[in-house]
Amino acid sequence: MRTLNWMVPASLLLSLAAVAQQPADSQPASQPAPTQMSAPANTPDAAQPTAPVPMQTSAPANAQPAPPPPAAQPTTMDQVVDRFVLREKGLIKMLQMRTPVIETYLQNLQLDPALGPVPKDDKYFLGRMDLSTSIDRKDYIPDDQSMEKHLLGGFSKLFKIQYQPLGFSWMIFADRNDFDRQHYDFRYVRREFLGEVRCLVFDVTPKPKSGQGRFLGRIWVEDQDYNIVRLNGTYAPRPRNAYFFHMDSWRLNLIPGYWVPAFIYSEEGDFSAGAKNQLAFKAQTRIWGYDLRKEGESDELTNIRVDSVKDDSPTAQDASPLAAEREWQQQAEDNVVERLTRAGLLAPDGDIDKILQTVVNNIQVTNNIDLPRPVRTRVLLTSPLETFSVGNTIIISRGLIDVLPDESSLAMALTHELAHIVLGHNLGSKYAFNDRMLFSDESTYQNLGFKHIPEEEAAADKKAVDLLKNSPYAQKLDSAGLFLKMLNTRAGALNALLTAHLGNNMTEGAAVTRMSTLMGSAPQIDWNKLDQIAALPMGGRVKLNPWDDKVELVKSQPVAITSARDKMPFEVTPFFPRLTRTGTTDSTGTAGSAANATPTPTSAANTNSPSN
Ligand SMILES: [Zn+2]
C-alpha cells in the first residue's frame, strides 16, 4: 500500500514546493496530482473544492458576526465618506469581542554594496490583542524591556531605539476613536483595482489642531459595501521623543460584510548617498486567530480532554504495558496538539499536512520504517524557524516552510524530527496529565517545551542523514546543504528568527548545528548565479487564513530574478495580497476565495510552480 503511494507524490511535490531550479519537472508532475496543490492558477475555480471555506467552518459555539444590513448606495462622494466612516465604526464594534494573535517580525538593516540593504539584527514579538475598549496586547514572549504601552504607534528615542510591539499593531484601524469629518479631511483621488476588488481611493489628512498622532495617508475603500480594505501612511504630528513609522495595512474579506485587518508592513530607512539616517528596518506584522475563543469563555467543558483514547476493538482488554505506554504517549500528543491549536499557535489539520506527510512517508517507505502509529504533521503558525515533535506528530513552523527552497530541504527539516521518533526520543508524555494543559494562552511558551538534550540532537541528525541518503531525496541533498549554508551566513543577523520557542534551535551561537554535515557537500554560495536559490524570503509560501487559522501552500506567479538583490534570503518583504471578495449572500460561485488573498513577496526569488 505504502510502496505504491510514494512514487507519484514524490514528483508531484516538486511542482508545488520547488522553485525555479526545476521548471521542467513541474509540468508533467502536476498531472496526476490528486490534491489541490497542482491546480494551476490559470483557472481560479480549480482551487475551490479543496480551498478552505472559512465561512462555513466556524464552530457553532463561536458564531460568526452577522453581516451589516444592506444600505442604499451613496450617490455623492460625501455620502461615500459617511458610509466608510460608519463601516469603520461597525468593524471596530464587531472586533470588540475578538482577541486575535498578533506577530511582528522586524529586521534592522544595513547597506551591503552588492546586495543592498540586508538584515543586521532582528526582533520578534508575538502576542494576543484585545480589541475591546482600546487596542492592547499581551505578549507570549516576555519583553526584556519595559513597555510604554501608551506611546502610540512609535518607539521611544530616549535612550536607544526601543520598538513598541503595540506600535506595529496600531494601524489595524486608521483612528480608533475619532475617524470622522470633525477630525479629518477626506479627498477623493481615483478608482483603482486591488486584486479583483474595485476601490475608491481617498487621501486622508487630519484637520489642524485635531491633536497628535492622527492618521495621515491614503485609504482604499471597496465600492460595494464601502469598507476600508487598505491603509497606507503614518501618524502626525509626532510628539517629542517618539516617532511614528510608516505602515501599509491590508485587510481581507474573510466573512461576509467585513474586511478584517490581516497584514501590516512597516519600513523605514534611507540608503541614498549622503543620507544620515541611523534608522532602517523592515517589519511584517501578521494578525490571525480572529475566531479563537476568548479566554475563559464557555471553556469549562473543553479544557479537560476525556475522549482522546477510544477503545473500538471487539475484544476489549486491558492494555499490555507497551500498549499502555503508547496510549499514554498518544494522549499527551493529542493534548498538546489540541492546546496549541486553541492558543492560536497551530493550524488545524489541513491540505498542507498531506504534502508534509507525503514527504515523511517517502522517507519511511524507502527506509522500511514501520511505526506502530502513523506519523502526523501540523504547521506552527509563527515565523521563527523551528521544528519539534510530540509523540508521533511532527510540527514545523510556517516561517521555516516559507524559506525552504525546495522539497528536499523540506525533507531535511522533517527527517530530523522523524529520526527523533524512530529513535524513541519521546518527549512530552507528562502532558498526558490534563492539569498541565490548564494555563493561559499567553503563557504557552512557559508551560510547554520540547527541547532535546544535545546527545539526542546529535543522534537525530546522524540518523536523519542516513535516512535521507536512502530516500528519493538522496541525489538532491545539495540544495538542502546550500540552504543550511545560507542560513549559516545569515545566522549572526537573525537571532530572533532563529530562536525556537518550543523546539531546539537550528543554530548555536551564529553557526548552524542542525544537520550541519549536509553543508559539506553543498556547492558554494554564488550570489551572482541567478538560478541558485539557497533560501526564499519570508512569507512567500504559506498562506494563512486569519479568520480560521487554516493554511495552504501559495500558488504564486513566477517572477524573474534579475540581480543578486532579488534573492533576499530570509528577508522581510512588503505584503501585496491579491484581494478578493468572500461569497456574498446571492453568490455561490465565489465563496471561500478569501484564501486567495495572500501576501506575495515582491521578491523575485519566489519563482515556484510555473503554472502556464
Ligand atoms: Zn531535534
Side-chain angles (χ1 to χ4, degrees):
M1 185 75 174
R2 255 198 207 152
T3 28
L4 286 178
N5 253 341
W6 72 265
M7 297 187 65
V8 175
S11 53
L12 135 75
L13 288 169
L14 274 175
S15 67
L16 331 165
V19 281
Q21 285 136 314
Q22 313 268 2
D25 284 357
S26 55
Q27 204 64 316
S30 59
Q31 297 306 335
T35 64
Q36 76 298 346
M37 299 312 311
S38 63
N42 52 16
T43 52
D45 283 337
Q48 289 307 330
T50 43
V53 184
M55 303 143 44
Q56 281 85 27
T57 51
S58 45
N62 201 12
Q64 219 177 74
Q73 286 298 304
T75 50
T76 65
M77 279 305 161
D78 276 355
Q79 288 173 354
V80 169
V81 171
D82 289 341
R83 181 71 77 79
F84 68 67
V85 164
L86 198 67
R87 293 301 307 126
E88 190 71 357
K89 289 192 194 329
L91 176 73
I92 291 169
K93 190 165 190 295
M94 187 276 280
L95 292 178
Q96 275 179 353
M97 296 307 292
R98 308 279 156 180
T99 56
V101 178
I102 179 153
E103 176 194 69
T104 298
Y105 176 60
L106 176 151
Q107 291 178 338
N108 284 307
L109 306 173
Q110 64 188 4
L111 189 66
D112 178 295
L115 302 176
V118 295
K120 178 174 66 175
D121 57 60
D122 61 348
K123 289 194 181 295
Y124 181 69
F125 309 105
L126 179 70
R128 283 290 274 278
M129 215 167 21
D130 188 338
L131 298 170
S132 51
T133 51
S134 63
I135 301 169
D136 201 359
R137 57 187 275 175
K138 291 182 189 164
D139 277 52
Y140 282 58
I141 305 156
D143 195 357
D144 52 345
Q145 302 154 332
S146 68
M147 231 170 61
E148 294 164 55
K149 286 197 170 181
H150 299 288
L151 192 63
L152 307 180
F155 46 84
S156 161
K157 254 186 84 184
L158 287 174
F159 301 105
K160 54 178 178 176
I161 290 170
Q162 183 182 336
Y163 295 108
Q164 304 298 318
L166 186 65
F168 292 100
S169 37
W170 196 246
M171 213 189 256
I172 58 172
F173 305 124
D175 185 327
R176 194 178 191 294
N177 300 315
D178 299 312
F179 190 65
D180 52 35
R181 285 180 188 280
Q182 287 72 51
H183 296 82
Y184 290 96
D185 289 319
F186 300 95
R187 190 177 68 85
Y188 171 71
V189 182
R190 62 165 179 268
R191 286 175 199 272
E192 185 178 312
F193 273 93
L194 291 180
E196 295 172 4
V197 177
R198 193 170 61 176
C199 297
L200 304 173
V201 184
F202 288 85
D203 280 341
V204 182
T205 47
K207 284 193 188 292
K209 301 200 177 85
S210 61
Q212 288 186 333
R214 295 297 184 190
F215 176 71
L216 173 67
R218 180 165 282 194
I219 57 171
W220 284 253
V221 179
E222 48 90 14
D223 73 347
Q224 235 170 52
D225 299 319
Y226 301 95
N227 292 290
I228 297 176
V229 302
R230 181 185 181 194
L231 306 120
N232 176 298
T234 186
Y235 295 91
R238 71 179 174 92
R240 286 196 307 151
N241 301 327
Y243 269 131
F244 293 113
F245 33 72
H246 292 84
M247 291 185 244
D248 190 24
S249 176
W250 293 81
R251 297 175 178 177
L252 300 182
N253 187 204
L254 304 172
I255 53 170
Y258 293 98
W259 288 72
V260 297
F263 313 106
I264 303 169
Y265 175 70
S266 325
E267 178 188 293
E268 295 294 337
D270 180 0
F271 290 105
S272 57
K276 269 213 165 296
N277 198 340
Q278 305 152 320
L279 175 70
F281 72 84
K282 293 188 287 186
Q284 287 182 340
T285 296
R286 289 180 167 79
I287 305 156
W288 69 83
Y290 280 105
D291 207 19
L292 291 171
R293 217 173 280 122
K294 205 164 178 170
E295 198 71 26
E297 195 180 274
S298 62
D299 246 13
E300 294 78 9
L301 289 175
T302 51
N303 260 341
I304 299 173
R305 193 182 174 91
V306 291
D307 60 347
S308 60
V309 182
K310 286 205 189 76
D311 190 353
D312 45 8
S313 59
T315 57
Q317 288 179 10
D318 289 347
S320 71
L322 180 58
E325 175 66 25
R326 283 179 182 153
E327 287 203 352
W328 187 247
Q329 284 285 349
Q330 174 83 58
Q331 190 171 324
E333 181 180 335
D334 290 346
N335 279 351
V336 168
V337 166
E338 192 242 333
R339 188 67 190 87
L340 284 174
T341 308
R342 204 149 46 83
L345 294 175
L346 214 57
D349 189 19
D351 289 333
I352 198 167
D353 293 307
K354 295 192 186 97
I355 309 285
L356 301 178
Q357 278 159 14
T358 304
V359 174
V360 172
N361 195 50
N362 288 346
I363 306 283
Q364 281 186 264
V365 166
T366 45
N367 285 279
N368 296 312
I369 296 168
D370 223 349
L371 295 167
R373 290 187 290 124
V375 174
R376 304 183 295 179
T377 62
R378 293 291 282 273
V379 176
L380 193 69
L381 292 169
T382 49
S383 290
L385 313 187
E386 65 177 307
T387 60
F388 61 95
S389 50
V390 49
N392 273 27
T393 298
I394 294 174
I395 293 169
I396 178 167
S397 67
R398 173 184 56 74
L400 181 55
I401 298 174
D402 269 346
V403 295
L404 291 169
D406 61 5
E407 185 182 342
S408 64
S409 47
L410 177 62
M412 180 242 341
L414 296 171
T415 306
H416 174 87
E417 297 302 334
L418 178 65
H420 279 306
I421 293 171
V422 170
L423 294 170
H425 295 169
N426 284 316
L427 278 184
S429 67
K430 64 180 177 182
Y431 301 123
F433 290 110
N434 289 291
D435 58 286
R436 293 199 164 111
M437 295 296 112
L438 300 177
F439 49 81
S440 72
D441 289 350
E442 294 82 36
S443 62
T444 299
Y445 290 161
Q446 285 82 56
N447 284 276
L448 297 179
F450 308 93
K451 290 190 200 304
H452 292 275
I453 57 172
E455 290 80 359
E456 288 184 352
E457 280 300 284
D461 274 350
K462 188 169 179 299
K463 180 75 179 173
V465 171
D466 290 346
L467 296 177
L468 285 168
K469 288 195 167 151
N470 197 29
S471 80
Y473 307 107
Q475 304 309 314
K476 297 170 190 147
L477 292 178
D478 276 6
S479 64
L482 190 65
F483 169 81
L484 293 172
K485 262 189 178 170
M486 184 58 85
L487 190 60
N488 206 44
T489 65
R490 286 271 163 107
L494 302 175
N495 186 50
L497 187 65
L498 289 167
T499 299
H501 295 282
L502 292 165
N504 286 86
N505 285 353
M506 298 177 69
T507 54
E508 211 177 289
V512 167
T513 48
R514 174 78 52 91
M515 312 284 280
S516 54
T517 51
L518 291 180
M519 286 192 283
S521 53
Q524 288 304 309
I525 292 172
D526 184 351
W527 287 96
N528 294 317
K529 197 163 178 271
L530 296 185
D531 63 345
Q532 186 195 66
I533 308 296
L536 302 185
M538 299 297 300
R541 201 182 274 295
V542 180
K543 36 176 155 182
L544 161 61
N545 179 317
W547 192 265
D548 61 16
D549 290 357
K550 289 184 178 171
V551 288
E552 64 176 305
L553 286 188
V554 175
K555 304 169 202 69
S556 52
Q557 303 296 318
V559 182
I561 288 182
T562 56
S563 80
R565 293 191 182 201
D566 284 346
K567 292 186 177 182
M568 300 193 288
F570 308 109
E571 289 179 29
V572 164
T573 60
F575 293 113
F576 238 92
R578 176 172 173 76
L579 299 187
T580 58
R581 292 183 189 279
T582 192
T584 44
T585 42
D586 58 348
S587 157
T588 50
T590 57
S593 54
N596 290 339
T598 294
T600 311
T602 53
S603 158
N606 189 40
T607 53
N608 53 345
S609 58
S611 52
N612 41 26

